Amino acid sequence: NAGVTQTPKFQVLKTGQSMTLQCAQDMNHEYMSWYRQDPGMGLRLIHYSVGAGITDQGEVPNGYNVSRSTTEDFPLRLLSAAPSQTSVYFCASSVSGTATSLNYGYTFGSGTRLTVV
Amino acid sequence: TQLLEQSPQFLSIQEGENLTVYCNSSSVFSSLQWYRQEPGEGPVLLVTVVTGGEVKKLKRLTFQFGDARKDSSLHITAAQPGDTGLYLCAGEGGMRFGAGTRLTVKP
């Protein structure tokens, strides 16, 4: 099993450009989420999804869109990139969105390092 | 907002030493998770603690959940260079993460 696959690994964008970070999992997990990781701030939740067709906002959703048309894929769209969005982005999944499932762990991808200039 | 404060922020020790890192909050959590993250990779789950006062052991790592379920600690015995990494605690089923303790174990 590949687990959670994120592409691209690295990306440089100019201010105002848009792009989509891809995330795919092959574990048939219902729950998927996106985080950003900044120095000294830990991981902050951007958006999450408890199943196909269902998404919700996390702690820092502004400037990002998501959709969940299939169980496997959960892309993150940057609408108009800003330097403040320079970060490392992680996608994660869990068996389901129930408290029990989430308490017992996420599988993370290896991240996308995004630089906005 | 339920914040998770981790201390120390950085820790550099020699191989063979023992260490403890902490995760504290002013709020009660139903559970806490500990993750380890290596450079260029995503976090990997080490353990989940769910019961106040609970102690879990994973080889040389001992995790404890405070009685009031507001804090947790991770103790490593006889640290090895392979323990080097960023240790993160998370609450609310992974909805909240601390900023982490960056551990370096020198050979």
Side-chain angles (χ1 to χ4, degrees), chain A residues 9 31 35 37 40-45 48 59 90 99 101-111 113, chain B residues 1 9 30-31 33 35 37 40-45 48 50 56 86 88 92-99:
Chain A
K9 187 86 171 168
Y31 182 92
Y35 294 87
Q37 185 173 33
M41 301 195 68
L43 284 91
R44 291 182 291 168
L45 183 64
Y48 64 97
E59 182 184 354
F90 288 98
S101 176
L102 296 180
N103 282 345
Y104 287 91
Y106 290 77
T107 300
F108 281 85
S110 58
R113 183 174 294 276
Chain B
T1 300
Q9 187 176 2
S30 60
S31 67
Q33 301 169 332
Y35 290 81
Q37 183 179 19
E41 297 296 329
V44 175
L45 181 70
T48 298
V50 297
K56 281 191 174 179
L86 179 67
L88 296 159
E92 286 189 75
M95 291 286 188
R96 304 285 179 194
F97 277 79

Side-chain angles (χ1 to χ4, degrees), chain A:
Chain A
N1 279 346
V4 178
T5 302
Q6 290 185 239
T7 56
K9 187 86 171 168
F10 301 94
Q11 183 70 50
V12 179
L13 286 179
K14 293 183 179 179
T15 297
Q17 286 184 320
S18 62
M19 80 158 295
T20 300
L21 308 185
Q22 301 293 342
C23 175
Q25 53 90 9
D26 62 359
M27 299 171 286
N28 203 31
H29 283 179
E30 291 185 359
Y31 182 92
M32 297 183 74
S33 55
W34 277 101
Y35 294 87
R36 59 178 290 172
Q37 185 173 33
D38 301 293
M41 301 195 68
L43 284 91
R44 291 182 291 168
L45 183 64
I46 304 172
H47 286 285
Y48 64 97
S49 168
V50 297
I54 306 168
T55 63
D56 208 343
Q57 296 180 351
E59 182 184 354
V60 288
N62 292 340
Y64 308 96
N65 272 1
V66 292
S67 60
R68 184 96 180 270
S69 56
T70 67
T71 299
E72 294 78 20
D73 300 298
F74 191 42
L76 178 72
R77 297 181 186 84
L78 279 69
L79 309 173
S80 177
S84 61
Q85 293 179 303
T86 293
S87 187
V88 182
Y89 291 85
F90 288 98
C91 179
S93 72
S94 184
V95 172
S96 77
T98 64
T100 299
S101 176
L102 296 180
N103 282 345
Y104 287 91
Y106 290 77
T107 300
F108 281 85
S110 58
T112 294
R113 183 174 294 276
L114 175 68
T115 302
V116 183
V117 298

Side-chain angles (χ1 to χ4, degrees), chain B residues 26-97:
Chain B
S26 58
S27 303
V28 175
F29 285 96
S30 60
S31 67
L32 277 176
Q33 301 169 332
W34 283 93
Y35 290 81
R36 190 177 85 179
Q37 183 179 19
E38 297 187 16
E41 297 296 329
V44 175
L45 181 70
L46 296 173
V47 78
T48 298
V49 285
V50 297
T51 305
E54 181 177 6
V55 176
K56 281 191 174 179
K57 292 190 176 183
L58 185 65
K59 297 184 181 178
R60 294 176 293 100
L61 278 61
T62 301
F63 303 86
Q64 186 162 5
F65 201 15
D67 291 340
R69 291 186 288 126
K70 292 183 177 182
D71 56 87
S72 182
S73 63
L74 160 59
H75 181 80
I76 301 178
T77 303
Q80 300 176 357
D83 295 325
T84 293
L86 179 67
Y87 289 82
L88 296 159
C89 66
E92 286 189 75
M95 291 286 188
R96 304 285 179 194
F97 277 79

